[in-house]
Amino acid sequence: MQRLVPFCLTSQIVLAPIMLGSARPWAMAVLTILTGIGLLAAGWFGHAKLTRPIKQVGIAGALLSVWLAVQAAPIWPTLPAPFNTSHLALYPTAFLPMIGSVLWLVGVYAMAAGCAQMQGDKFTRIIAWAVIIATILQVALACLADIFSFESTYWFAKQAHLGDWTGSFANRNAFAGLMTIAAICALYLFCANVTATIGSRIDHAAGWIALVLIFTSALFASHSRSAVLTLAIALITFAIMLRPKADRLLPRIAYPILVVACVTTALIVIAMLIPDLGNRFAELARPDLIQRDDAWHTAIIAISHRPFSGFGPNAIALVMDHFATLGLNRKATWFSSHNLWLDAALIGIMSSIGWVASMPALILPFLSLLAVLEARPKLQSRAASQYRNDPRQSVRPDPVLRQSPAD
């Protein structure tokens, strides 16, 4: 029964991508049930302790719940156009659906923190393994769909991203985002043994590098430009943080420059070898296409009119049409500005909560790893005790202790 709590967490990491990224009410219900079972098991068996970070997250969840109620009240002033009303509720239906998301977020963090307390330094590996297993399933689904020419998410026929790898996601960017997270997790497991040389790691853990290559190839097959750039930034950051301290072959400033140059060169070569991906980047320079910068320009103009409260949810189509610039296609149905930050700003201060649980499949790994902070004090004290008890450590004895009673 002690394994029930970690199972409730890792099963969510595996199931969330399969259920369309869990960006659906029924999928969130499944995740919430698993979270509730895990919390009950942790409380029943007394494995988890209410530490200060868990209490702080609980208080934050309570404050956010109050804020949801305030957002649902029609007390916020608005401009005459495009709504033609004197007052507006930022999120009229905020409380009922979003309170569940807030409770789920707080519950997941508390459950993950409890797992970190129980598992200690093994917890990070457990999360990394769960992410990799979930990603392998997505790669298998995407590969199967590509082999048999299924234009489907395995839930419904795809209306967009035809010819792109999406697995059971409805969006290629979400699929590619999971590939990026899994690639970093595989690199972490490959580099977990810090005392081993690179050669010995390759001899004993080359499978992790193979998985990195597989996940990266699946990412490129999704043709997601944003994910390619995200992977590049993640690899550069990972390589810079992993730099050996004893490396004296390169100056301190030369190593980051070399890493950036290598990753940039690799991306250029890959874009040239994959025509579909290269064409997507080339389309950014075509003036005859409706570019995202037109949508961004329109969104910025709209945000400047209501920089604080925004226009509320489900209003982006109306707002984009009202403030459309000359380059924006008014015949298109704009449900987004194609920029998460601008979309959140259009919605306004409601976005401090409203976008948090929009894609649980991608949030779960980060939220779980954040709970590793719960286990950090234990790991530090354990490492210190091992250092003190290690007979191999040459510690100079106290001069007072060396004196005999006869002295």
Side-chain angles (χ1 to χ4, degrees):
M1 295 297 293
Q2 295 182 358
R3 299 179 179 178
L4 180 60
V5 181
F7 172 79
C8 290
L9 178 62
T10 55
S11 61
Q12 292 186 60
I13 296 176
V14 176
L15 288 176
I18 297 177
M19 299 185 297
L20 293 167
S22 294
R24 302 291 190 279
W26 59 268
M28 282 299 301
V30 174
L31 299 184
T32 304
I33 291 173
L34 289 173
T35 301
I37 294 173
L39 290 175
L40 289 175
W44 182 267
F45 295 103
H47 296 311
K49 299 179 181 179
L50 290 178
T51 58
R52 179 177 296 180
I54 296 179
K55 294 179 181 179
Q56 292 174 347
V57 171
I59 293 173
L63 294 177
L64 292 179
S65 301
V66 174
W67 176 234
L68 285 173
V70 174
Q71 290 181 116
I75 59 176
W76 300 91
T78 183
L79 295 177
F83 295 100
N84 296 321
T85 57
S86 59
H87 291 83
L88 174 74
L90 291 179
Y91 203 162
T93 59
F95 193 78
L96 291 179
M98 290 307 301
I99 191 65
S101 299
V102 172
L103 292 176
W104 174 77
L105 287 170
V106 175
V108 165
Y109 180 84
M111 182 173 60
C115 292
Q117 295 173 10
M118 292 185 292
Q119 301 294 334
D121 53 352
K122 297 180 181 179
F123 180 67
T124 306
R125 290 175 175 266
I126 293 174
I127 298 302
W129 268 96
V131 173
I132 290 173
I133 291 173
T135 309
I136 290 175
L137 291 175
Q138 290 300 312
V139 172
L141 292 175
C143 185
L144 186 66
D146 186 62
I147 292 174
F148 293 98
S149 300
F150 293 156
E151 294 295 349
S152 170
T153 63
Y154 294 91
W155 293 92
F156 51 77
K158 291 199 295 187
Q159 303 297 323
H161 309 304
L162 302 179
D164 301 328
W165 281 29
T166 59
S168 59
F169 286 92
N171 186 278
R172 62 185 168 203
N173 293 327
F175 173 85
L178 183 63
M179 297 299 117
T180 302
I181 298 173
I184 299 301
C185 288
L187 283 176
Y188 166 79
L189 293 175
F190 174 76
C191 302
N193 188 1
V194 295
T195 60
T197 62
I198 295 180
S200 61
R201 290 176 189 170
I202 294 176
D203 290 339
H204 296 90
W208 298 122
I209 298 299
L211 286 176
V212 172
L213 297 177
I214 292 173
F215 298 154
T216 304
S217 300
L219 184 151
F220 291 141
S222 70
H223 305 136
S224 173
R225 294 175 296 199
S226 60
V228 171
L229 297 178
T230 302
L231 178 64
I233 296 173
L235 290 177
I236 291 171
T237 304
F238 189 88
I240 292 176
M241 295 178 62
L242 196 65
R243 177 185 178 180
K245 295 182 180 179
D247 185 10
R248 299 180 180 178
L249 297 178
L250 294 173
R252 183 180 298 272
I253 191 63
Y255 181 79
I257 295 176
L258 180 62
V259 171
V260 172
C262 291
V263 174
T264 304
T265 303
L267 290 180
I268 293 175
V269 172
I270 291 172
M272 294 175 63
L273 295 177
I274 304 177
D276 292 338
L277 183 61
N279 291 337
R280 292 211 68 227
F281 279 98
E283 288 176 353
L284 295 174
R286 289 182 56 182
D288 58 325
L289 296 178
I290 300 174
Q291 299 298 338
R292 293 186 178 183
D293 56 348
D294 297 323
W296 296 344
H297 187 198
T298 300
I300 292 173
I301 294 175
I303 292 168
S304 66
H305 284 76
R306 292 180 60 83
F308 180 66
S309 60
F311 296 89
N314 303 322
I316 291 182
L318 180 63
V319 172
M320 294 291 284
D321 181 70
H322 180 76
F323 294 98
T325 59
L326 295 178
L328 193 69
N329 183 8
R330 290 180 175 270
K331 296 181 180 180
T333 303
W334 294 97
F335 58 89
S336 170
S337 65
H338 289 282
N339 184 296
L340 180 60
W341 303 106
L342 294 180
D343 287 351
L346 278 172
I347 294 176
I349 45 184
M350 188 282 303
S351 62
S352 60
I353 306 172
W355 284 88
V356 173
S358 61
M359 188 58 70
L362 303 181
I363 293 174
L364 265 169
F366 291 104
L367 198 61
S368 301
L369 292 176
L370 182 63
V372 174
L373 297 175
E374 289 293 311
R376 178 172 293 180
K378 183 191 302 182
L379 296 179
Q380 290 178 347
S381 60
R382 183 183 304 171
S385 63
Q386 290 177 351
Y387 179 80
R388 288 193 299 266
N389 298 329
D390 193 347
R392 295 175 296 179
Q393 301 293 337
S394 57
V395 180
R396 180 176 297 178
D398 195 327
V400 178
L401 298 178
R402 287 190 299 173
Q403 294 178 354
S404 61
D407 295 333

